[in-house]
Amino acid sequence: MAADGEDRPTSAPRAAEQAAAEVVGAPRPADVPLPASVAASAAAATVGLGMPGSGPPPGSAFDQHHPPDAALISDCVHCGFCLPTCPTYVLWGEEMDSPRGRIDIMKGGLRGDAFDANSVRHLDQCLGCMACVTACPSGVQYDKLIEATRAQLERRVKRPRGERLVRRMVYSLFPYPRRLKVVRGPLRAYQATRLNRLLARTGLLGKLPESLQAMEALAPKLGRVEKLPERTPAAGTKRKTVGLLTGCVQGTFFPDVNAATVRVLAAEGCEVVVPPRQSCCGALSAHAGREPEALAFAKRVIETFEAADVDAVVVNAAGCGSNLKDFAHQLRDEPGWAERAKALSAKARDVSELIDELGPVASYQPLTVTVAYQDACHLGHAQGVRAQPRRLLRTIPGIELRELTEPEICCGSAGTYNLLHPEPARELGERKANAVLATGAQLMVTANPGCWMQVATTLARMGKRLPVAHTVQVLDAAIRGVPVEDVLAAALDGPGTVVSSKSTVERKKKKDK
């Protein structure tokens, strides 16, 4: 392999590798051997801090239940095309915080090397964004490897008490829609009374643990929840019967997105079924290695949509859609579930993917606005859905799409990453926010609630608020003929937006002093 900085031959394999990198707009590894400068969080991230004494019993790193596949590990040839697309490598320039470095840790585990505090930390610091999967010319299935390894860590590594408490709080709340709905009332009262500003002025917020500070800052403005009918007829000729996965965070904090999804699907000739009492799909649990929990959630979703008897299961949150499409793998050896999981995975579609497949037939009114479209990692990388939302947005007369630099780099949300690792998430959020601002667009559009909260909150903290909306909300506005001024106003100050730019800016200034 040519050394960094040397010219590479223009052979067919090299050309193929370069094409793989260009899919996500990434430079070749030779062009970016190391970051120009490391982020402030590097000191804590790349030295042996955090988990003294943690690790599995001596003798074996992995148990026999779904260890990372040695054959998949051997697919990695260490070419380095993953490096410039990996958020943590871009931040810190640390080899063990790159995909190939983490694969080396897995390879050591297969040889019997016990996990120490450093190796656990490097694996934990992966965002699971799957940019490396897109960039890899060898087809390494890093998604399968990191998920299997994290499930092993959950069983075999005892984390420090503080970290265990944070994880227990996060995973006891966010995958449970009913618990989130209970939280809505007190949270809405907290926002309405502006208690957040009072706590910010007194400095009490700054004394909370970083994870709780991140949770408070990310909480979006709550509005009314529009009750969705269990069945909405198609407008005109029915083309499909589809079921809508309402989601946990999406359904609780962004119900307007679900309502817009139903209206758009109906306008595009779909009868929409919204099964009541839906459970979490298990995405957060699966991506964190909480396998038993993830499988239980997956089985409930399968039962729910089997009973609904629909042609497709539509998802409007990128992480959830990615997870549904992975059910066949997750339940591959679950007796009585493997074929049912495979059938459900085959029906799963992102809302933009489904409308693009059908071909839009609704009438779209003009919206004269410049839009920065931000690829959600689990839509672009994990599902390969990039062109479809762009094609749909371009069907709206007057919309001008503007592309971001570094589209392959995650915004730092990554499910629960911004709660468990707030400092690197903040740095990645600012990197993405600056890329959005550089487009000069009037509106940012994305396809995942986590990305929405992460980038919108970061922009507010920087004192540079910008309207943010979901793809389907823009389609809905164009179908209904909503004036562009109203679209931008709702995307800046409506439900789902940042609660208060003033308090976040004040906290940012105090932190910088």
Side-chain angles (χ1 to χ4, degrees), residues 299 302 306 326-345:
K299 290 172 183 177
I302 292 169
E306 282 178 342
D326 202 39
F327 277 2
H329 174 74
Q330 292 175 14
L331 281 75
R332 61 194 179 280
D333 55 8
E334 288 286 301
W337 288 96
E339 288 303 314
R340 296 168 71 181
K342 185 177 179 181
L344 191 285
S345 290

Coordinates of all heavy atoms in Angstrom, one line a residue, residues 299 302 306 326-345:
K299 N -39.8 -7.9 18.6 CA -40.9 -8.8 18.5 C -42.3 -8.2 18.7 O -43.3 -8.5 18.0 CB -40.8 -9.9 19.6 CG -39.6 -10.9 19.3 CD -39.3 -11.8 20.5 CE -38.1 -12.7 20.2 NZ -37.7 -13.5 21.4
I302 N -43.1 -6.4 15.4 CA -43.5 -7.4 14.4 C -44.9 -7.8 14.6 O -45.7 -7.8 13.7 CB -42.5 -8.6 14.4 CG1 -41.1 -8.2 14.0 CG2 -43.1 -9.7 13.6 CD1 -40.1 -9.2 14.2
E306 N -47.9 -7.0 11.9 CA -48.6 -8.2 11.3 C -50.1 -8.1 11.5 O -50.8 -8.4 10.6 CB -48.0 -9.5 12.0 CG -46.7 -9.9 11.6 CD -46.2 -11.2 12.3 OE1 -46.8 -11.5 13.4 OE2 -45.3 -11.8 11.8
D326 N -33.0 -4.1 10.0 CA -32.0 -5.0 10.5 C -32.6 -6.1 11.3 O -31.9 -7.0 11.9 CB -31.0 -4.3 11.4 CG -29.7 -5.0 11.5 OD1 -29.2 -5.6 10.5 OD2 -29.1 -5.0 12.6
F327 N -34.0 -6.1 11.5 CA -34.6 -7.2 12.3 C -34.3 -8.6 11.8 O -34.1 -9.5 12.6 CB -36.2 -7.0 12.2 CG -36.7 -6.0 13.1 CD1 -35.9 -5.2 14.0 CD2 -38.1 -5.7 13.2 CE1 -36.5 -4.3 14.8 CE2 -38.7 -4.8 14.0 CZ -37.8 -4.1 14.9
A328 N -34.2 -8.8 10.5 CA -33.9 -10.1 10.0 C -32.5 -10.6 10.5 O -32.4 -11.8 10.8 CB -33.8 -10.1 8.4
H329 N -31.6 -9.7 10.7 CA -30.3 -10.1 11.3 C -30.4 -10.3 12.8 O -29.9 -11.3 13.3 CB -29.2 -9.1 10.9 CG -27.9 -9.4 11.6 ND1 -27.0 -10.4 11.2 CD2 -27.3 -8.8 12.7 CE1 -26.0 -10.4 12.0 NE2 -26.1 -9.4 12.9
Q330 N -31.1 -9.4 13.4 CA -31.1 -9.4 14.9 C -31.8 -10.7 15.4 O -31.4 -11.3 16.4 CB -31.9 -8.2 15.4 CG -31.1 -6.9 15.2 CD -31.9 -5.7 15.7 OE1 -32.9 -5.8 16.3 NE2 -31.5 -4.5 15.3
L331 N -32.9 -11.1 14.7 CA -33.7 -12.3 15.1 C -33.4 -13.5 14.3 O -34.2 -14.5 14.2 CB -35.2 -12.0 15.1 CG -35.8 -11.1 16.2 CD1 -35.3 -9.7 16.1 CD2 -37.3 -11.2 16.3
R332 N -32.2 -13.6 13.7 CA -31.9 -14.7 12.8 C -31.9 -16.1 13.4 O -32.2 -17.1 12.7 CB -30.5 -14.4 12.2 CG -29.4 -14.4 13.2 CD -28.1 -13.8 12.6 NE -27.0 -13.7 13.5 CZ -26.8 -12.8 14.4 NH1 -27.7 -11.8 14.5 NH2 -25.7 -12.8 15.2
D333 N -31.7 -16.2 14.7 CA -31.7 -17.5 15.3 C -32.7 -17.6 16.5 O -32.6 -18.4 17.4 CB -30.3 -18.0 15.8 CG -29.6 -17.0 16.7 OD1 -30.3 -16.0 17.1 OD2 -28.5 -17.2 17.0
E334 N -33.7 -16.7 16.4 CA -34.8 -16.7 17.4 C -35.9 -17.7 16.9 O -36.5 -17.4 15.9 CB -35.4 -15.3 17.6 CG -34.5 -14.4 18.4 CD -34.4 -14.7 19.9 OE1 -35.4 -14.7 20.5 OE2 -33.3 -15.0 20.3
P335 N -36.1 -18.8 17.6 CA -37.1 -19.8 17.2 C -38.5 -19.2 16.9 O -39.0 -18.5 17.8 CB -37.1 -20.8 18.3 CG -35.8 -20.7 19.0 CD -35.5 -19.2 18.9
G336 N -39.0 -19.4 15.7 CA -40.3 -18.9 15.4 C -40.4 -17.4 15.0 O -41.5 -16.9 14.6
W337 N -39.2 -16.8 15.0 CA -39.2 -15.3 14.7 C -38.4 -14.9 13.4 O -38.6 -13.8 12.9 CB -38.7 -14.5 15.9 CG -39.7 -14.5 17.0 CD1 -39.7 -15.3 18.1 CD2 -40.8 -13.6 17.2 NE1 -40.7 -15.0 18.9 CE2 -41.4 -13.9 18.4 CE3 -41.3 -12.6 16.4 CZ2 -42.5 -13.3 18.8 CZ3 -42.4 -11.9 16.8 CH2 -43.0 -12.2 18.1
A338 N -37.5 -15.8 13.0 CA -36.6 -15.4 11.9 C -37.3 -15.0 10.7 O -37.0 -14.0 10.1 CB -35.6 -16.5 11.7
E339 N -38.3 -15.8 10.2 CA -39.0 -15.5 9.0 C -39.9 -14.3 9.1 O -40.1 -13.5 8.2 CB -39.8 -16.8 8.5 CG -38.9 -17.9 8.0 CD -38.1 -17.4 6.8 OE1 -38.6 -16.7 5.9 OE2 -36.8 -17.8 6.8
R340 N -40.5 -14.2 10.3 CA -41.4 -13.1 10.5 C -40.6 -11.8 10.5 O -41.0 -10.7 10.0 CB -42.1 -13.3 11.9 CG -43.1 -14.5 11.9 CD -43.5 -14.8 13.3 NE -44.5 -13.8 13.8 CZ -45.0 -13.9 15.0 NH1 -44.7 -14.9 15.9 NH2 -45.9 -12.9 15.4
A341 N -39.4 -11.8 11.1 CA -38.5 -10.6 11.1 C -38.1 -10.3 9.7 O -38.0 -9.1 9.3 CB -37.3 -10.9 12.0
K342 N -37.8 -11.3 8.9 CA -37.3 -11.1 7.6 C -38.5 -10.4 6.8 O -38.2 -9.5 6.0 CB -37.0 -12.4 6.9 CG -36.4 -12.3 5.5 CD -35.9 -13.7 5.0 CE -35.4 -13.6 3.6 NZ -35.0 -14.9 3.1
A343 N -39.7 -10.8 7.0 CA -40.8 -10.3 6.3 C -41.1 -8.8 6.7 O -41.3 -8.0 5.8 CB -42.1 -11.1 6.6
L344 N -40.9 -8.5 8.0 CA -41.1 -7.1 8.4 C -40.0 -6.2 7.8 O -40.3 -5.1 7.4 CB -41.1 -7.1 9.9 CG -41.5 -5.8 10.7 CD1 -40.4 -4.7 10.6 CD2 -42.8 -5.3 10.1
S345 N -38.7 -6.7 7.9 CA -37.6 -5.9 7.3 C -37.8 -5.6 5.9 O -37.5 -4.5 5.4 CB -36.3 -6.7 7.5 OG -35.9 -6.8 8.9

